[in-house]
Amino acid sequence: MKSICAVAVLLTFVMAIGLWGCAGKHHEESQAMELPKKSIERYIEVSSVAEGTQAEAIGIQAGDILLKYDGKELGTISDLHEAIKAATGDDVIIVVKRDGNPISLSAKPGKIGVMLKTVAEVHRMPDAKIIEGIDPLSWESEETISYIACVRRVLAHYGEQYEYMYLMGISGAAFRLHFFGGWCSSSPDPTCGFDCSKAVYEALGRKTEHHFMNHDNFEMPDALTEPEMRQKITEAIDRDIPVIAIDIVQIPEWGIITGYQNDKQDLFCRSYFDPEMEDYNVVEKMPWVTVMIGEKGEALSGEEAVKQSLAIAQYLGRAEKFDQYYSGIAGFEQWIASLEEMSAPMEAAAPRSMDDIMNAMQANAWIYE
């Protein structure tokens, strides 16, 4: 476990000087005579600058707002990642706003060494249809398995109050360890490999409706188009059903779609990247998986739910693999072997790019957490 802890601590340091950030402030807007053109206005603000990085060298300061990177306008941290990936020259121009004035700074392409937060101003329009009262999602809540956290909040909306750890238990997610040999950050997701979500809905007697949209390497023959997915989401909102969805703000993580406005083109949500916002966030990307928790049927008794969870724990511990995810003891063994390979001296291992190393460290941190 010492090697696991060491890599996890190292990752924490690397991410601290990287480009990850979290959603930030919300500014209450009074209704004006003319409606705002956008549901939400986002910009990214530098919260801190790491010592010894090129951000410090070129004069970026905490409080600066990043406007452009290599000519590309920035509104979210995802925009910045894409701009960095697309940069091809030997130098790039970073435009920041400081004290209301734009400043152009010359830098080398690549990570610049800052911590960022997304600052957002949300504007509710007269045609907004919103499910109120969905509790915020936050890493600080220690509900780190985002799918289960979303299930808890949707059930609370239906008047059913459950503890997070109870849902982790009856689903089997509390006993689940999966490891993908190629360092996949989805290894801890309870819907990948062995799908724990089926157990939680069976225990609670809840029917569900799932919808899928083709995305990158995720393809299904009967997948919805983007307009069809939007229609399914807005129809659920009209029926007072919050929609659990993946990859709606910043990076692929589960969140909850809570409403719509602007002729149903803009979707409100709760995500793990808006902890300081007083209002709901607004979806950045159309999700490629959605789950609607529907009507309630016959639930398992408390004793039956506990028996089911313990049976899942035993099954997960003994099974070697689900799809491409190693499970239980086999998962631990693969995890340790992969950590040893990653920790080997560069000359003794296969060549590794910086992207491969960062991907492995990020995946390790998620699995460890």
Side-chain angles (χ1 to χ4, degrees), residues 139-157:
W139 300 121
E140 285 71 25
S141 69
E142 299 185 354
E143 296 179 73
T144 53
I145 300 300
S146 60
Y147 187 88
I148 299 297
C150 290
V151 170
R152 186 179 77 78
R153 282 156 178 76
V154 173
L155 292 172
H157 171 68

Side-chain angles (χ1 to χ4, degrees), residues 23-290:
K25 310 169 189 172
H26 160 69
H27 176 66
E28 192 72 30
E29 291 290 324
S30 60
Q31 284 289 341
M33 291 300 293
E34 293 184 7
L35 290 177
K37 294 181 180 179
K38 298 180 180 178
S39 292
I40 191 166
E41 297 177 55
R42 303 183 197 271
Y43 53 92
I44 45 180
E45 180 181 312
V46 177
S47 55
S48 64
V49 177
E51 294 183 4
T53 60
Q54 70 162 332
E56 182 183 52
I58 66 176
I60 291 179
Q61 300 177 10
D64 285 352
I65 295 169
L66 301 187
L67 298 178
K68 292 184 180 181
Y69 183 96
D70 198 30
K72 294 179 174 60
E73 294 187 1
L74 306 175
T76 67
I77 294 171
S78 297
D79 292 340
L80 179 57
H81 289 316
E82 294 302 317
I84 289 173
K85 288 180 183 178
T88 56
D90 295 330
D91 296 282
V92 296
I93 298 297
I94 301 174
V95 180
V96 304
K97 184 166 70 172
R98 184 182 304 158
D99 298 327
N101 300 312
I103 300 172
S104 296
L105 303 169
S106 180
K108 298 296 181 184
K111 303 210 170 175
I112 53 182
V114 294
M115 282 290 286
L116 299 169
K117 62 181 179 180
T118 301
V119 181
E121 296 182 357
V122 178
H123 308 278
R124 291 198 181 194
M125 299 180 185
D127 70 341
K129 169 78 174 180
I130 299 174
I131 298 173
E132 302 286 6
I134 305 296
D135 288 342
L137 293 162
S138 170
W139 300 121
E140 285 71 25
S141 69
E142 299 185 354
E143 296 179 73
T144 53
I145 300 300
S146 60
Y147 187 88
I148 299 297
C150 290
V151 170
R152 186 179 77 78
R153 282 156 178 76
V154 173
L155 292 172
H157 171 68
Y158 294 151
E160 299 181 28
Q161 301 293 334
Y162 294 100
E163 294 291 335
Y164 168 77
M165 287 309 299
Y166 177 75
L167 296 176
M168 287 287 290
I170 63 171
S171 67
F175 312 109
R176 177 189 177 282
L177 184 134
H178 274 19
F179 183 82
F180 183 88
W183 287 110
C184 177
S185 295
S186 294
S187 294
D189 189 316
T191 66
C192 294
F194 180 86
D195 186 355
C196 293
S197 70
K198 295 179 180 178
V200 74
Y201 297 130
E202 181 179 352
L204 299 175
R206 282 285 182 178
K207 295 182 179 180
T208 58
E209 183 179 326
H210 292 69
H211 298 287
F212 303 89
M213 191 173 74
N214 288 336
H215 172 79
D216 294 339
N217 296 324
F218 181 89
E219 293 190 4
M220 296 188 69
D222 299 324
L224 302 178
T225 64
E226 184 169 324
E228 289 171 336
M229 179 66 88
R230 185 182 301 276
Q231 181 177 349
K232 292 292 185 183
I233 292 169
T234 55
E235 287 175 350
I237 299 299
D238 288 338
R239 303 197 310 269
D240 197 41
I241 299 175
V243 178
I244 299 173
I246 188 75
D247 197 18
I248 53 178
V249 176
Q250 292 195 29
I251 62 175
E253 197 59 76
W254 291 99
I256 307 170
I257 298 178
T258 58
Y260 62 78
Q261 68 177 11
N262 193 20
D263 197 24
K264 301 184 178 181
Q265 294 307 300
D266 298 322
L267 305 174
F268 290 99
C269 70
R270 289 292 193 199
S271 84
Y272 275 84
F273 305 99
D274 41 52
E276 297 177 25
M277 296 179 70
E278 297 173 14
D279 203 352
Y280 290 126
N281 203 341
V282 175
V283 166
E284 295 177 3
K285 300 170 280 185
M286 183 61 60
W288 36 280
V289 181
T290 57

